[in-house]
Amino acid sequence: MPEKDHERLATELGATVSLLMRQLRASSPQGELTPTQRAVIGRIDTGGEATIAALARAELVRPQSMRLTVGALEERGILVRSPHPTDGRQVVFSLTEEGRRMLAFVRQAKHNWLAVAIAERLTAEERRTLATATELMRRLMPE
């Protein structure tokens, strides 16, 4: 059983990370992409082409919901479908050049907000502490 101090730190860290993620989402251009759409194109960018079923499992939504999300992205020219390499009954979706541009645009807006916030709100010593804390948080992740 964790000690009370560890539990309190875990609770505060989780809440702070959630607030930071919410602010990062809010800093990306409004109206460009929904959070689910951003998650889908980010997942495809990282993991490569994917079926609707695989995306739905990864995002913990029903395939019908994912079909709507993917359909909207395909309609905007962000995703493109192609035949599944081994199963002729399925299709896979991948990013178009427009999709890569959109993802880079959204990511850059988030990074810009965070970089400005760090530069304007933290002292040099606090920035060094944040760098150390970032490395410690990375060590908490499973390998």
Side-chain angles (χ1 to χ4, degrees):
M1 193 75 175
E3 295 178 20
K4 283 284 187 206
D5 287 346
H6 297 162
E7 286 181 27
R8 186 174 20 262
L9 180 58
T11 299
E12 289 176 15
L13 178 60
T16 301
V17 168
S18 291
L19 288 171
L20 178 61
M21 294 307 297
R22 189 173 305 133
Q23 180 59 49
L24 286 170
R25 280 191 300 274
S27 69
S28 66
Q30 293 299 315
E32 288 294 329
L33 298 169
T34 68
T36 303
Q37 290 171 338
R38 285 191 298 257
V40 166
I41 66 172
R43 187 170 299 282
I44 290 174
D45 181 55
T46 302
E49 62 187 22
T51 63
I52 285 179
L55 291 168
R57 277 192 305 276
E59 294 300 319
L60 305 174
V61 299
R62 294 179 27 225
Q64 296 85 345
S65 299
M66 184 55 67
R67 199 169 287 114
L68 293 173
T69 299
V70 168
L73 291 168
E74 186 179 22
E75 198 171 287
R76 291 183 61 187
I78 294 171
L79 294 182
V80 64
R81 71 176 62 210
S82 58
H84 191 284
T86 59
D87 184 348
R89 300 168 295 167
Q90 294 190 60
V91 295
V92 292
F93 292 87
S94 57
L95 284 175
T96 63
E97 283 307 312
E98 172 63 14
R100 287 188 212 334
R101 185 199 67 75
M102 178 67 67
L103 185 59
F105 180 68
V106 168
R107 286 178 173 166
Q108 189 62 52
K110 290 177 181 184
H111 294 160
N112 288 348
W113 173 83
L114 189 54
V116 168
I118 289 169
E120 291 180 351
R121 299 178 190 173
L122 301 180
T123 65
E125 183 178 337
E126 289 169 330
R127 288 191 294 271
R128 286 189 293 276
T129 300
L130 183 60
T132 301
T134 300
E135 181 54 36
L136 293 173
M137 289 171 60
R138 188 175 292 119
R139 286 179 31 204
L140 294 174
M141 298 296 113
E143 293 180 15

